[in-house]
Amino acid sequence: MSKIILSGVKPTGRPHIGNYFGAMKQFVDLQNSEPEAIKYFFVADYHALNLIQNAEEMRQHSRDIVLDFLAIGLDPNKSIIFKQSDILEHTELCWIFDAITTVPYLKRAHAYKDAVAKGGEEIINVGTFNYPMLMAADILLYDTDLVPVGKDQKQHVEFARDTAEKFNRVFDSETFKLPEPYILPNVEIVPGTDGQKMSKSYKNTIPLFADDEEIEKIVMGIVTDSTGEKPQNVYNIHKIILSANNASDVVQDKLQKIYEENKGKYKNLKEILIEDLKNFIRPLREKRAELAKDEELVNNILKVGREKAGPVATEKMKQIKKAIGVI
Ligand code: ADP
Ligand code: TRP
């Protein structure tokens, strides 16, 4: 049986280098290193609905994510690229999981706890609360073995495992496989320009397709600690960027040389980082701009993806419906 790899990204705006190094780069690396595996990468548009409640924005961001996927190297001939809302079985299976999941269990979710801490329970919508069950459905519907994600999604993959086990137990069946998260330890938390985890919500991101001017402005604004000789926030981002195209010992050597030669000269170090960032981002940005010229590309790719993923989901759903006794 082929190994199954699956992951999704919410269409919530421009991806940043934290999303790329933490998760999306692994999609491409796995796509190319696992030719025998079946790979699914999808636009998690229903997951984004908790945040994006504007039709034009949703449409635009969803199209953008597909272009982002292609620009970083996902290839529709090697991977199945689809949109969550195109495959009705995702939400259908979510409902089935709701029926076997308790409220206290979902209250353990980090994302839910964070939302409560921020705004209180009253303002949390049911979709946010139920988010892990839709994600479990996304994963389990395709008999997924491996889920490449950033570290903050680990608990969600564990919820999917628990839900698979619970379903199999309740309905005395072997309907679902138990998925494993795939998280690379050296990039599990990519730091932002202020040293905290890079995140859209902290406004400390470097967009993956930033233009040169934007890169200059962002890097010059990186928070530096004036007590040390090495500006740690600059260094950490530099390390990640160089690791895109170099082995870790090469990165180590290069950085050691640069930071030794420019001890205490923060401006020089930032300028070197700017150049390295520009060189890393430029080809991605140019490829993306080229792809965006083809108005039909995204629709065509999503159509092919729907045609490939749809029958798999339908087949699995039959098995699930038999297990619960609705057919
Ligand atoms: P954000 O925090 O900017 O809203 P998302 O929650 O949309 O990002 O994350 C999308 C994917 O990127 C997830 O798999 C997440 O784990 C990963 N990710 C996001 N930020 C980082 C980061 N700073 N380091 C590593 N992975 C990240
Ligand atoms: N929750 C993920 C995120 O915020 C996106 C996602 C939705 C996902 N469904 C998924 C990731 C299934 C992996 C597998 O990034």
Side-chain angles (χ1 to χ4, degrees):
M1 275 261 274
S2 301
K3 191 196 278 188
I4 316 270
I5 298 171
L6 172 141
S7 195
V9 177
K10 277 178 299 186
T12 51
R14 298 168 82 193
H16 50 72
I17 62 170
N19 302 135
Y20 177 72
F21 287 98
M24 289 161 79
K25 181 171 185 290
Q26 279 66 264
F27 301 179
V28 182
D29 292 344
L30 286 169
Q31 167 189 269
N32 298 329
S33 66
E34 299 270 356
E36 302 300 325
I38 301 172
K39 282 91 47 183
Y40 298 93
F41 299 107
F42 68 94
V43 181
D45 53 352
Y46 276 154
H47 271 119
L49 192 58
N50 297 321
L51 291 164
I52 309 290
Q53 302 187 341
N54 171 294
E56 210 29 67
E57 264 182 59
M58 179 64 90
R59 236 170 251 129
Q60 188 60 45
H61 290 332
S62 298
R63 177 183 142 81
D64 282 347
I65 277 285
V66 178
L67 291 173
D68 300 341
F69 278 175
L70 300 175
I72 63 169
L74 285 186
D75 175 349
N77 295 313
K78 295 182 184 164
S79 296
I80 299 171
I81 299 172
F82 70 95
K83 197 163 70 171
Q84 188 182 34
S85 62
D86 277 339
I87 313 281
L88 307 184
E89 285 85 353
H90 288 242
T91 43
E92 190 178 5
L93 182 54
C94 176
W95 179 259
I96 294 171
F97 288 159
D98 284 348
I100 60 165
T101 304
T102 67
V103 169
Y105 176 79
L106 282 179
K107 282 191 171 175
R108 279 171 29 202
H110 302 317
Y112 171 76
K113 285 188 187 164
D114 290 351
V116 173
K118 255 192 223 152
E121 200 174 38
E122 306 70 43
I123 60 151
I124 296 177
N125 60 42
V126 177
T128 302
F129 181 63
N130 206 25
Y131 188 107
M133 290 300 103
L134 181 56
M135 184 152 160
D138 299 338
I139 295 171
L140 300 178
L141 195 50
Y142 298 90
D143 289 325
T144 305
D145 295 293
L146 212 57
V147 187
V149 278
K151 191 178 174 209
D152 58 2
Q153 295 298 314
K154 185 166 182 242
Q155 192 194 34
H156 285 148
V157 181
E158 283 161 3
F159 276 27
R161 284 176 70 91
D162 288 352
T163 306
E165 275 181 322
K166 182 147 189 199
F167 183 101
N168 290 349
R169 191 170 64 247
V170 169
F171 295 104
D172 194 16
S173 68
E174 288 183 15
T175 307
F176 293 115
K177 257 199 223 171
L178 304 192
E180 295 280 349
Y182 179 84
I183 300 169
L184 294 189
N186 54 337
V187 286
E188 57 182 32
I189 300 178
V190 176
T193 52
D194 56 0
Q196 290 191 82
K197 176 200 159 198
M198 186 175 288
S199 171
K200 273 191 283 287
S201 36
Y202 300 152
K203 305 207 178 339
N204 62 356
T205 65
I206 302 179
L208 180 59
F209 301 99
D211 61 36
D212 285 355
E213 211 177 305
E214 221 178 345
I215 294 172
E216 287 164 22
K217 199 164 158 239
I218 292 173
V219 173
M220 283 306 168
I222 293 180
V223 180
T224 49
D225 167 358
S226 57
T227 55
E229 287 179 338
K230 186 162 84 181
Q232 204 58 45
N233 294 341
V234 177
Y235 181 89
N236 290 342
I237 294 171
H238 216 153
K239 187 167 162 193
I240 300 258
I241 292 302
L242 290 184
S243 75
N245 299 316
N246 297 286
S248 62
D249 49 338
V250 178
V251 174
Q252 214 60 41
D253 289 351
K254 277 193 179 188
L255 284 177
Q256 197 171 358
K257 194 158 170 278
I258 296 170
Y259 284 75
E260 193 58 44
E261 281 170 6
N262 294 282
K263 229 182 214 170
K265 298 179 190 150
Y266 290 7
K267 186 154 177 287
N268 289 9
L269 290 167
K270 284 187 171 179
E271 276 163 3
I272 300 170
L273 174 59
I274 287 173
E275 276 321 295
D276 285 335
L277 260 171
K278 284 182 181 171
N279 290 334
F280 163 67
I281 289 180
R282 189 179 308 111
L284 296 175
R285 193 183 59 229
E286 287 175 357
K287 182 163 173 205
R288 194 184 184 289
E290 198 51 42
L291 291 162
K293 285 183 189 158
D294 182 346
E295 295 275 329
E296 287 308 308
L297 184 67
V298 169
N299 284 341
N300 290 341
I301 283 177
L302 291 178
K303 180 168 177 282
V304 171
R306 185 171 66 228
E307 285 166 3
K308 288 185 181 162
V312 178
T314 305
E315 220 19 66
K316 186 73 194 177
M317 206 59 209
K318 270 192 210 146
Q319 194 192 339
I320 298 163
K321 284 180 158 179
K322 274 196 192 130
I324 64 174
V326 296
I327 53 172

